């Protein structure tokens, strides 16, 4: 009986070791594929959620694959802490071993942060962006006709075609045209990996945190 128990313990340890070695190999492959798909110069960190891994590998279906892309620049817009997850990933083990390209994710979500430096970079001349993390504010001086007009405003963050818009919402004691001069758009849509579309944005202490999503996403080799 003791020998049987020892044998079973050793078998379990071996299976766990094989499981972990196998998952590390597939995570490396998916990391390379994600880097190629997102046109990244570096390799992201990839984690396959769920255990045992071998069950997922045999079925060729991974419910959740998480990745961390770090800080990257898309177009002229730097993105900090870009991370996400691929859900319902179809990746037959034979395709991975033979490096075939037909691997897909049913859905991909991505989130990241536009820093305050980026928010300031795209602001109109004379406009200084501030805030407490929950709300953006703007102050400064803009030219209206032949006059210089000083202002203070509360800003609203909205999604707009082609990017994220910073829009004056409360601005008092100045002509209405000043609100248009203060409002601006950070060109962002179409510059994220996997062709995800921005679905939400909110003000945080570090800047603007956004979320984005895409469906039926190929992850090429």
């Amino acid at each position: 009986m003791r020998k049987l128990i020892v044998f079973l313990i050793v078998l379990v340890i071996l299976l766990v070791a094989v499981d972990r070695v196998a998952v590390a190999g597939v995570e490396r492959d998916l990391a390379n594929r994600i880097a190629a798909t997102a046109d990244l110069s570096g390799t992201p960190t990839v984690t396959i959620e769920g255990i045992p891994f071998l069950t997922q590998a045999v079925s060729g279906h991974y419910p959740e694959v998480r990745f961390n892309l770090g800080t990257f620049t898309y177009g002229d817009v730097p993105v900090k802490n870009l991370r996400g997850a691929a859900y319902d990933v179809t990746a037959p083990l034979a395709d991975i071993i033979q490096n075939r390209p037909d691997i897909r994710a049913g859905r991909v979500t991505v989130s990241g942060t536009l820093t305050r430096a980026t928010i300031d970079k795209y602001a109109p001349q004379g406009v200084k962006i501030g805030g407490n993390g929950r709300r953006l504010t703007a102050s400064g001086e803009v030219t209206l006709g032949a006059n210089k007009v000083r202002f203070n405003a509360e800003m609203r963050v909205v999604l707009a075609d082609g990017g994220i818009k910073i829009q004056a919402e409360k601005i008092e004691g100045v002509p209405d045209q000043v609100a248009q001069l203060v409002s601006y758009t950070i060109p962002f849509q179409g510059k994220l990996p996997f062709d995800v579309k921005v679905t939400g944005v909110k003000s945080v202490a570090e800047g603007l945190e956004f979320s984005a999503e895409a469906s039926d996403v190929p992850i090429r080799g």
Side-chain angles (χ1 to χ4, degrees), residues 64-118:
E64 183 177 352
V65 177
R66 294 198 165 273
F67 52 86
N68 189 333
L69 306 179
T71 299
F72 293 94
T73 298
Y74 291 93
D76 295 327
V77 182
V79 180
K80 185 179 180 181
N81 296 329
L82 189 61
R83 60 203 180 278
Y87 299 96
D88 296 324
V89 177
T90 302
L93 191 57
D95 291 351
I96 292 177
I97 293 173
Q98 298 180 36
N99 198 30
R100 293 173 183 163
D102 52 343
I103 290 178
R104 305 187 77 84
R107 182 169 65 96
V108 170
T109 61
V110 171
S111 62
T113 302
L114 304 181
T115 65
R116 289 195 171 272
T118 298

Side-chain angles (χ1 to χ4, degrees), residues 33-42 72-74 193 220:
R33 290 174 182 271
I34 289 172
T37 302
D39 195 24
L40 305 176
S41 57
F72 293 94
T73 298
Y74 291 93
R220 67 173 183 261

Side-chain angles (χ1 to χ4, degrees), residues 50-70:
I51 55 175
F53 164 76
L54 290 177
T55 303
Q56 299 182 62
V58 170
S59 68
H61 178 256
Y62 303 87
E64 183 177 352
V65 177
R66 294 198 165 273
F67 52 86
N68 189 333
L69 306 179

Side-chain angles (χ1 to χ4, degrees), residues 202-216:
K202 64 179 179 179
S203 178
V204 295
E206 296 82 8
L208 294 177
E209 185 176 271
F210 68 87
S211 56
E213 186 172 322
S215 300
D216 192 23

Side-chain angles (χ1 to χ4, degrees), residues 165-188:
K165 188 170 184 178
I166 315 296
Q167 182 172 296
E169 184 176 40
K170 292 183 179 180
I171 181 168
E172 299 177 355
V174 297
D176 293 341
Q177 298 94 314
V178 173
Q180 298 178 2
L181 295 175
V182 172
S183 302
Y184 64 100
T185 298
I186 300 174
F188 196 52

